[in-house]
Amino acid sequence: IRIYGLNQIKSAALEVGENHIEKSALEIIRNKLANSSFVETINYSFVDEKLAVLFAEFKPELLLQNPIANQMNYMRPSLLLGLLQNISKNQARGFEDLSLFETGRIFSGVKIDQQKNSVAGIRIGKNKSANHYKDGRAFDVFDVKKDLFDCLEILGFSSQGFQLADETPNYYHPHRSKVVKLGKNIIGYFGEIHPMVTKK
């Protein structure tokens, strides 16, 4: 262009073909959550083993031999651990009303089939900032249930086919959480985090 001259090059409309790139399920969910007032976060895949045991059984093979820091010595078993730490840091700076989500891998072992892509979201505080026209209300379990169902429905699942059960992991509140099943398959969880976990 420098030699030939920019003024010698004729402009032409860009041809856009009919084909478009198919979005993955994770990308579809990311867009849905971002459009539902969530903010995406990105955390390290390694966490403190003392906190990781709150979310899953300890497995020595998930310990890192050469961690970048002493408190980052274990592969994460859940995305919620990073999100709860994000919430804690934000609250320490005075931000109380938060909706955060993350997509990434979680680890139940070192084999390929024990590393799964996951999505997690967390809401805390009020559903809208204070203003003169409407009072905000605190987020509750029904808000996160709707978030989960909306994500599953946008992927093509029908909420009428879901079954709700009580077999949630120990880090959930025992009476304010549910597991969502499609037949025998567990496809998600929603609910409040157990008070002992949030305290730690």
Side-chain angles (χ1 to χ4, degrees):
I1 291 171
R2 280 170 123 182
I3 295 168
Y4 187 63
L6 187 61
N7 57 336
Q8 301 288 335
I9 298 173
K10 294 180 182 176
S11 61
L14 182 66
E15 290 184 18
V16 180
E18 293 283 326
N19 297 333
H20 61 278
I21 297 170
E22 197 74 29
K23 288 186 177 178
S24 70
L26 279 179
E27 288 176 296
I28 292 169
I29 291 176
R30 284 171 70 189
N31 289 339
K32 173 65 182 168
L33 292 173
N35 290 323
S36 301
S37 74
F38 278 89
V39 175
E40 185 173 12
T41 66
I42 300 172
N43 293 300
Y44 284 111
S45 294
F46 16 92
V47 295
D48 188 342
E49 67 173 298
K50 294 172 187 167
L51 295 175
V53 295
L54 298 172
F55 293 85
E57 178 188 345
F58 175 78
K59 294 188 177 177
E61 64 267 27
L62 293 177
L63 273 172
L64 298 174
Q65 291 183 355
N66 189 21
I68 60 172
N70 289 337
Q71 71 276 14
M72 301 175 84
N73 63 344
Y74 194 82
M75 299 306 292
R76 66 184 175 194
S78 170
L79 297 177
L80 287 173
L81 179 52
L83 290 173
L84 287 169
Q85 289 176 318
N86 295 147
I87 294 282
S88 178
K89 288 174 184 174
N90 274 279
Q91 285 183 325
R93 290 164 176 79
F95 299 102
E96 298 290 335
D97 306 324
L98 297 164
S99 295
L100 305 177
F101 83 96
E102 183 175 10
T103 62
R105 287 199 171 221
I106 57 173
F107 303 84
S108 60
V110 293
K111 294 178 182 172
I112 259 319
D113 62 338
Q114 296 174 316
Q115 303 172 26
K116 295 181 181 174
N117 284 323
S118 181
V119 179
I122 192 162
R123 291 191 187 268
I124 191 166
K126 297 202 169 180
N127 66 337
K128 55 186 70 147
S129 54
N131 60 61
H132 298 294
Y133 305 107
K134 288 184 180 178
D135 291 331
R137 62 168 180 79
F139 286 117
D140 59 27
V141 71
F142 299 106
D143 291 306
V144 291
K145 176 185 176 185
K146 181 184 182 309
D147 293 327
L148 175 59
F149 277 37
D150 286 350
C151 286
L152 293 172
E153 285 176 352
I154 205 170
L155 293 177
F157 294 102
S158 170
S159 60
Q160 294 175 348
F162 299 154
Q163 298 97 39
L164 300 181
D166 293 326
E167 311 127 30
T168 51
N170 293 336
Y171 51 83
Y172 279 104
H173 192 293
H175 307 296
R176 297 177 189 166
S177 61
K178 292 287 181 187
V179 57
V180 180
K181 289 184 170 182
L182 199 57
K184 293 182 178 180
N185 298 317
I186 294 175
I187 54 175
Y189 304 99
F190 69 89
E192 289 185 21
I193 301 296
H194 198 290
M196 292 302 293
V197 174
T198 57
K199 185 177 179 183
K200 288 185 181 182

